[in-house]
Amino acid sequence: MVRVFGWVVLLARSDAAKDAEILVLRHEVVVLRRQVARPRLDRADRAVLAALARLLPGRLRLNRIVTPGTLLAWHRRLVRRKWTYPSAPGRPPVSDEVRALVERLARQNPRWGYRRIQGEVHGLGYQVGEGTIRRILAAAGLGPAPRRASATWRQFLKAQASGILACDFMHVDTVLLRRLYVLFVMEVQTRAVHIVGVTAHPTGTWTAQQARNLMLDLGERAG
């Protein structure tokens, strides 16, 4: 309250008095910086200085002890602390022997899909999930059957990019650490990004409605 009252009083002073005080304060800061290696600031000090620093010209922000980036870094630390979960043990890694077996079966049988390869591997005594087989083949550059002998996925995307939209969710955290989910869509050919909607509680109904709104915005391009 004392700080706020002091700012109100400052607004009533003349410009000449303010300029003189600024010069005095600048010189005091120079003197203090020669004596203090690293000032100690609490959170309130950092918040006030960072909020006021954004009102300064860009060249003057660089020499401040606290910048707007300080608030962002502080916020990132708070987010990390809030959303820290205990690390659970993951699945054991797939052995090189199984990887080689999956790749060999896929190359020798280009019309076999993931499930067929999974069944053959299971018949040989190896317990491997379908998703794991899909990742092994993708890492080896082998697409799904029966397209292994035809164009690659990259070539397909390049040829069809003008008609493909990619969509996903990302999340942002507010100052009060409330998590919001952002639905965005990117045009593959131009890399243009559309922010479709923001919500704290994404549902299937909400997402479908945002997709309809996007189709209306695209107009004739939706075809």
Side-chain angles (χ1 to χ4, degrees):
M1 291 298 297
V2 175
R3 290 180 181 176
V4 174
F5 182 75
W7 294 341
V8 174
V9 173
L10 182 63
L11 294 176
R13 294 172 53 184
S14 65
D15 292 339
K18 294 177 185 178
D19 293 340
E21 183 175 358
I22 289 174
L23 293 176
V24 173
L25 291 176
R26 280 188 174 183
H27 188 70
E28 288 180 350
V29 169
V30 172
V31 174
L32 291 175
R33 282 183 173 178
R34 290 202 301 258
Q35 302 177 29
V36 180
R38 184 182 181 86
R40 296 182 179 179
L41 305 175
D42 58 21
R43 291 185 174 181
D45 293 331
R46 292 179 181 275
V48 171
L49 291 175
L52 293 177
R54 66 181 295 272
L55 302 177
L56 296 174
R59 59 185 180 84
L60 295 180
R61 297 181 192 173
L62 301 177
N63 298 323
R64 306 278 71 81
I65 58 177
V66 176
T67 66
T70 303
L71 273 186
L72 296 177
W74 182 23
H75 183 257
R76 286 193 294 268
R77 287 196 296 268
L78 290 177
V79 171
R80 284 198 300 268
R81 292 173 185 172
K82 177 179 176 59
W83 298 104
T84 298
Y85 300 101
S87 57
R91 296 180 178 179
V94 179
S95 65
D96 294 338
E97 180 183 1
V98 173
R99 289 181 179 275
L101 175 61
V102 171
E103 292 180 19
R104 186 170 70 252
L105 290 175
R107 295 183 190 278
Q108 293 176 354
N109 305 276
R111 302 192 65 85
W112 283 9
Y114 303 129
R115 293 184 179 179
R116 176 64 184 276
I117 295 177
Q118 180 189 26
E120 295 295 332
V121 171
H122 179 72
L124 295 175
Y126 298 99
Q127 298 293 332
V128 184
E130 182 181 339
T132 301
I133 293 177
R134 185 182 296 109
R135 288 190 291 272
I136 292 175
L137 297 183
L142 299 173
R147 288 187 168 272
R148 295 194 190 109
S150 58
T152 64
W153 180 243
R154 181 181 296 273
Q155 293 170 338
F156 170 79
L157 284 180
K158 187 175 181 179
Q160 305 294 330
S162 60
I164 296 179
L165 299 176
C167 65
D168 204 348
F169 279 96
M170 66 179 180
H171 66 262
V172 294
D173 295 278
T174 65
V175 174
L176 299 179
L177 301 183
R178 183 189 182 200
R179 177 150 290 187
L180 300 177
Y181 297 88
V182 181
L183 176 61
F184 67 94
V185 174
M186 184 185 71
E187 299 181 34
V188 174
Q189 185 177 41
T190 63
R191 297 297 193 271
V193 176
H194 304 268
I195 303 299
V196 181
V198 181
T199 180
H201 305 287
T203 62
T205 303
W206 179 87
T207 305
Q209 184 58 49
Q210 304 312 309
R212 296 188 191 99
N213 296 342
L214 176 65
M215 292 297 102
L216 292 176
D217 293 339
L218 292 177
E220 295 180 356
R221 299 173 56 204

